[in-house]
């Protein structure tokens, strides 16, 4: 992991087309702006983790339903 120190108004570039801009720092919160091409998906990590968990739960339920359907056919 690369760790950088930035101040308000400074930026970090990823590749040549993604800019992470430090908009403000207030206490323990940092507001950032992200400029990226429209085809780049930008999501908060906790949202991605929630989606993954939800998908895993749905897949487990689908598997249980399929087992029930197979058991009924026998």
């Amino acid at each position: 992991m690369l760790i950088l120190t930035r101040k308000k108004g400074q930026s970090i570039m990823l590749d040549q087309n993604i800019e992470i801009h430090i908009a403000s720092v207030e206490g323990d919160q940092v507001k950032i702006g992200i400029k990226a091409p429209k085809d780049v998906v930008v999501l908060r990590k906790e949202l991605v983790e929630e989606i993954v968990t939800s998908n895993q739960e749905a897949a487990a339920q689908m598997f249980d339903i399929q087992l029930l359907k197979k058991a009924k056919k026998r």
Side-chain angles (χ1 to χ4, degrees):
M1 174 186 300
L2 173 65
I3 299 176
L4 301 172
T5 301
R6 299 278 77 199
K7 295 179 182 177
K8 179 181 172 183
Q10 295 180 328
S11 295
I12 298 167
M13 294 298 298
L14 302 177
D15 228 4
Q16 292 184 5
N17 60 351
I18 300 173
E19 179 181 1
I20 300 174
H21 178 78
I22 308 304
S24 69
V25 180
E26 299 170 11
D28 64 347
Q29 288 191 335
V30 178
K31 291 185 181 179
I32 61 172
I34 302 170
K35 290 182 186 177
K38 291 185 186 275
D39 63 326
V40 174
V41 177
V42 179
L43 296 171
R44 296 185 333 261
K45 183 179 178 183
E46 60 271 17
L47 180 58
V48 171
E49 291 170 346
E50 187 177 318
I51 292 168
V52 167
T53 300
S54 176
N55 287 346
Q56 289 172 341
E57 290 170 358
Q61 290 176 359
M62 289 289 291
F63 183 69
D64 290 345
I65 291 170
Q66 290 174 359
L67 283 176
L68 289 172
K69 286 180 181 178
K70 286 180 183 178
K72 285 183 180 179
K73 289 181 181 178
R74 292 181 185 169

